Amino acid sequence: MLRSRLLHNSAPQGFIVLALESSADDTCAAVVTSSRQILSNVVIKQNQLQVAYGGIHPSVAIEAHQRNMPLAVQQALKNANVDLVRDIDGIAFTRGPGIGGCLSVGSNAAKSLAAALNKPLVGVHHMQGHALTPLLTTWPNPPEFPFLSLLISGGHTLLLLAKSPISYKILGTTLDESIGRSFDKVSRLLGLKWGTNGPGAALEEFCALDKSSDTVPGQIPPFPRPMHGRLAFSYASFHSHVERYIFSRGGIDKINHATKQALARGFQEAAVLHLKEKLSLGINWCQKQGIEIKNIVVSGGVASNQHLRNRCKSLTAQSEGSNSAIFFIYPPPHLCTDNAVMIGWASMGRFLAGSHDDYTIDLRPKWSIEDLHTST
């Protein structure tokens, strides 16, 4: 599906970046300016191609990126009403982390365009893009450094202390699988149809159906509380809990609609409570270190989950010895999932500082965000 969004109609101002993102299964291109104009945002999804495999099949994703990237670039430039040669000042791409073959499609396209047109090039850390998106979308009141950043997606579950645009400390990460992958697995276990936004979104929509039936059948055992009291995430046990229950009942075909929905809601609530517990531990850690936190940025594909957003409102964390609340900041839902806008914006600081990468820069499929400051 081709999705584009033109957010600003005024004439572009400042440094103009064409950005490409292809780290997983979305082919993305966008045009962003240093004056915080999002001139275009194109996302071509592969959900219908990947549904038969129950997740991202690398070779299928790579071939789709190869077909779609030229279209995404062309559409992004058209929507932005800019000329590639005359108007684009720099080209950015996702350097990592991600699926190596998928990353290479965006990388090769960006390098070729930049080299042919003699434009500066910047490779961006994917998670840095997610973390810095609110500095673009919440202007003129962006989060102040240092802030906590909860990055939750199909590939990542990270709680970060963001000390500057290029300096991050990992406070907690998943010891097994990401929250997004767990959502996807439970959605498939329950036999839900993916729809246009993928299995995780299908599970959220299923949970929201018929809100009058909120009673959870008593025969569903309580969900586990893994890593309780420890600043680390673990999501494998949540989908395993659902899988064991379904097996004990003779399969998903033996379970009625009400019980299936109770399983989905129970899983979603347990997954969100796990996040909240770890956020509280992260806030406490910062307080003990004398670090004042005013904002928590929640980004990544799972951050678009409205149940998560509503439940986090009840986390009324306050700094010790003060009355200042810690406020949650979320990018707009369409900028929570993978997109090239965040890549273009994350590259802007380096472009404006006159720093850029060589056209032979290598990919970093495995790349800790803590190492970012040594790679820029």
Side-chain angles (χ1 to χ4, degrees), residues 77-130:
L77 293 169
K78 180 179 179 181
N79 290 353
N81 192 28
V82 295
D83 181 85
L84 177 61
V85 178
R86 183 185 65 248
D87 299 320
I88 297 299
D89 298 308
I91 298 177
F93 70 99
T94 304
R95 184 183 178 193
I99 301 170
C102 294
L103 288 168
S104 69
V105 178
S107 170
N108 290 339
K111 290 178 182 179
S112 297
L113 288 171
L117 301 173
N118 197 29
K119 306 281 188 181
L121 177 76
V122 167
V124 174
H125 193 292
H126 182 85
M127 305 314 292
Q128 181 196 23
H130 280 304

Side-chain angles (χ1 to χ4, degrees), residues 309-363:
R309 296 187 179 207
N310 292 333
R311 293 294 279 131
C312 282
K313 288 179 182 178
S314 64
L315 184 61
T316 55
Q318 292 189 335
S319 301
E320 292 181 0
S322 75
N323 295 320
S324 58
I326 299 176
F327 296 99
F328 283 84
I329 296 178
Y330 304 87
H334 71 280
L335 293 180
C336 284
T337 53
D338 288 351
N339 63 87
V341 169
M342 68 180 191
I343 301 303
W345 180 246
S347 73
M348 199 65 70
R350 289 190 61 196
F351 278 125
L352 296 180
S355 170
H356 51 83
D357 294 313
D358 190 271
Y359 298 144
T360 61
I361 182 175
D362 293 329
L363 294 175

Side-chain angles (χ1 to χ4, degrees), residues 10 31 33 54 81 91 144 157 161 169-170 190 194 201-202 230 233 261 268 287 292 310 324 336 351 355 358 367 369:
S10 57
V31 179
T33 78
N81 192 28
I91 298 177
E144 299 178 18
T157 304
L161 173 64
K169 178 178 177 59
I170 298 175
L190 296 176
W194 280 31
R230 180 178 171 185
F233 300 92
Q261 195 169 53
Q268 181 173 243
Q287 290 174 346
E292 183 179 5
N310 292 333
S324 58
C336 284
F351 278 125
S355 170
D358 190 271
W367 188 10
I369 196 169

Side-chain angles (χ1 to χ4, degrees), residues 85-197:
V85 178
R86 183 185 65 248
D87 299 320
I88 297 299
D89 298 308
I91 298 177
F93 70 99
T94 304
R95 184 183 178 193
I99 301 170
C102 294
L103 288 168
S104 69
V105 178
S107 170
N108 290 339
K111 290 178 182 179
S112 297
L113 288 171
L117 301 173
N118 197 29
K119 306 281 188 181
L121 177 76
V122 167
V124 174
H125 193 292
H126 182 85
M127 305 314 292
Q128 181 196 23
H130 280 304
L132 296 183
T133 298
L135 275 70
L136 168 66
T137 59
T138 61
W139 188 260
N141 299 302
E144 299 178 18
F145 292 102
F147 60 81
L148 288 179
S149 185
L150 182 64
L151 305 182
I152 45 179
S153 67
H156 303 275
T157 304
L158 285 171
L159 179 59
L160 304 174
L161 173 64
K163 296 180 281 187
S164 79
I166 63 169
S167 180
Y168 301 86
K169 178 178 177 59
I170 298 175
L171 301 185
T173 187
T174 179
L175 301 183
D176 39 57
E177 68 184 26
S178 69
I179 181 174
R181 183 169 298 175
S182 189
F183 263 82
D184 292 351
K185 287 183 177 180
V186 170
S187 182
R188 292 194 293 270
L189 285 170
L190 296 176
L192 304 181
K193 293 183 178 180
W194 280 31
T196 58
N197 294 319

Side-chain angles (χ1 to χ4, degrees), residues 267-283:
F267 162 78
Q268 181 173 243
E269 178 67 1
V272 170
L273 287 176
H274 190 58
L275 285 180
K276 287 183 61 178
E277 178 197 352
K278 307 311 177 183
L279 274 174
S280 295
L281 292 174
I283 292 168

